[in-house]
Amino acid sequence: MKKHLQTLLQFVITIGLLWWIFHDPEKRAHMWEALQQAKLIWLLGGVLVFGGVVIVSTQRWRVLLQVQDIHLPWLRVFQLFMIGLFYNLFLPGGTGGDLMKIFYLLKEVPKKKSAAFLSVVVDRMFGLLSMVFLAFLIILFRFNLLMKTPETAGLFSVLIIVLGCALGALVCAFVVSKFHLAHRLPERMPMRGTIIELATAIETYSNQPKAALIAFGLSVTNHCILFLSTYCAARAFTDKLSLVDIFTVFPIILTIASLPISVAGIGVREKITEQLLHSLFLIPGSVAVLISITSFAMMALWSIVGGIVFLFYRPPGGAEHAKLSEMRSEVDALEAKIDHP
């Protein structure tokens, strides 16, 4: 019931934000004019560049799977990743893709269920660590710019708080792993399950520093390619934004949009993009919103490709696709087993 109410609230917030962004007819007219003048070559380039995100993400996950002695062909890992990408977009909650990846990976390696689950957990962890690393670089080189206005300073503060909390959870998980404290954590402790999962993953992957370093490098590369595709989206509408500018603001935008505020971050992402690009670089609101929508559309196109992959994917042994409720039940049972060592 709680999940349903949360999803309903996300839909209401999404609709409200979209109305707020698009209700002005003059703004819509400016957007339509900018869209008609968009440079198609940059839009196409952005779609192709985003393909690099898919390739690097697949390789990162494959490296993490190999640490767990799970050796699947690259193409099979690619299929599972694309299915996850599709459901991340079309299932409410933002983690539906992880559910699908875990469920179908369990079918691929039924004798290594815990290892399969942890590979997805640590995949997320490296994505988070690389974002913290990039945020640190922003602080070093663009701090004064981000403190330019109260609005941008506030959004930057939100980034620091969110990533700080996430980093705190990782540190806590490291301590739990180092001193084997999982069984001593109170049952009602906030984020108890997440911390235990991270601690278990850290314990598993700490013995493979080379693989961990490779995964971290791939994560940083992954974010850089993502921001490059966003730069292509920006160049389709304006030449007033540099690649450095995109690298400065989009870690903030994507981090805040990843919070479970709206459906798939829709509305939140566009409003923050509008505010940051206008405040820092004087980009018109109509163009800023188009940049956000276009960069999201590039990801959505690849997600649709993931849907096509899903149509042709068959679990091992010719098994039929399960119902979503059955998937949740199986993955939740495995997660509960890991959370209560």
Side-chain angles (χ1 to χ4, degrees):
M1 183 66 179
K2 185 178 179 180
K3 287 185 177 180
H4 291 307
L5 288 175
Q6 182 180 356
T7 300
L8 177 61
L9 181 60
Q10 287 178 333
F11 273 107
V12 172
I13 291 173
T14 302
I15 293 170
L17 285 170
L18 290 176
W19 177 86
W20 185 17
I21 293 167
F22 294 106
H23 77 281
D24 185 351
E26 184 177 352
K27 184 177 180 180
R28 293 199 302 269
H30 288 160
M31 289 177 65
W32 176 244
E33 183 180 349
L35 192 60
Q36 289 179 310
Q37 298 174 1
K39 302 178 182 69
L40 185 59
I41 188 66
W42 283 104
L43 295 177
L44 179 60
V47 173
L48 294 177
V49 168
F50 193 91
V53 173
V54 172
I55 293 171
V56 172
S57 297
T58 299
Q59 182 59 28
R60 180 182 65 188
W61 191 24
R62 191 162 184 257
V63 168
L64 297 173
L65 287 170
Q66 288 173 344
V67 171
Q68 298 274 31
D69 200 28
I70 297 175
H71 301 278
L72 295 176
W74 193 93
L75 184 59
R76 200 63 166 174
V77 179
F78 168 79
Q79 289 177 308
L80 296 176
F81 175 81
M82 291 301 292
I83 291 171
L85 185 65
F86 174 74
Y87 278 97
N88 257 344
L89 181 65
F90 293 103
L91 278 183
T95 57
D98 286 351
L99 168 70
M100 305 300 289
K101 286 163 64 177
I102 292 170
F103 178 80
Y104 285 113
L105 184 57
L106 297 182
K107 302 307 173 187
E108 298 282 347
V109 286
K111 296 182 179 180
K112 297 182 178 181
K113 292 187 175 183
S114 295
F117 182 93
L118 290 175
S119 73
V120 177
V121 171
V122 83
D123 189 56
R124 283 268 183 179
M125 183 181 74
F126 277 111
L128 173 62
L129 283 172
S130 59
M131 187 63 83
V132 171
F133 172 74
L134 291 173
F136 176 72
L137 293 182
I138 294 171
I139 294 172
L140 283 181
F141 298 106
R142 305 284 281 189
F143 181 79
N144 290 336
L145 174 68
L146 291 170
M147 296 297 108
K148 186 176 179 180
T149 70
E151 293 79 10
T152 57
L155 290 171
F156 181 65
S157 298
V158 173
L159 169 72
I160 298 302
I161 292 170
V162 172
L163 293 182
C165 291
L167 189 59
L170 287 175
V171 171
C172 184
F174 177 81
V175 173
V176 169
S177 171
K178 182 70 174 178
F179 297 100
H180 308 289
L181 301 175
H183 63 287
R184 296 187 179 181
L185 296 180
E187 284 290 334
R188 295 186 178 182
M189 176 182 174
M191 297 182 66
R192 179 184 185 275
T194 300
I195 290 172
I196 290 177
E197 290 166 15
L198 289 172
T200 307
I202 289 170
E203 186 174 353
T204 302
Y205 286 87
S206 61
N207 297 323
Q208 298 287 340
K210 182 179 178 181
L213 187 60
I214 292 172
F216 178 76
L218 289 172
S219 294
V220 173
T221 303
N222 190 42
H223 285 307
C224 290
I225 296 173
L226 175 60
F227 299 149
L228 181 59
S229 72
T230 304
Y231 173 70
C232 292
R235 283 300 304 270
F237 302 104
T238 180
D239 58 1
K240 295 181 180 179
L241 289 169
S242 69
L243 185 58
V244 174
D245 295 334
I246 296 297
F247 271 68
T248 299
V249 299
F250 269 85
I252 301 173
I253 294 166
L254 296 181
T255 298
I256 298 176
S258 68
L259 298 174
I261 300 171
S262 65
V263 178
I266 297 171
V268 174
R269 179 178 46 252
E270 284 68 39
K271 194 61 188 175
I272 297 174
T273 303
E274 181 180 6
Q275 191 168 6
L276 282 174
L277 294 187
H278 179 71
S279 298
L280 296 176
F281 311 113
L282 301 179
I283 301 298
S286 55
V287 173
V289 171
L290 276 177
I291 291 172
S292 178
I293 293 173
T294 304
S295 63
F296 179 74
M298 292 172 179
M299 184 272 288
L301 283 173
W302 280 96
S303 297
I304 292 171
V305 173
I308 296 172
V309 170
F310 178 67
L311 291 176
F312 291 95
Y313 171 81
R314 289 293 175 269
E320 294 295 325
H321 292 296
K323 295 180 180 179
L324 183 60
S325 58
E326 296 173 4
M327 295 180 185
R328 289 191 185 279
S329 178
E330 183 169 343
V331 174
D332 286 348
L334 176 59
E335 185 176 12
K337 182 178 179 182
I338 293 173
D339 291 351
H340 294 83

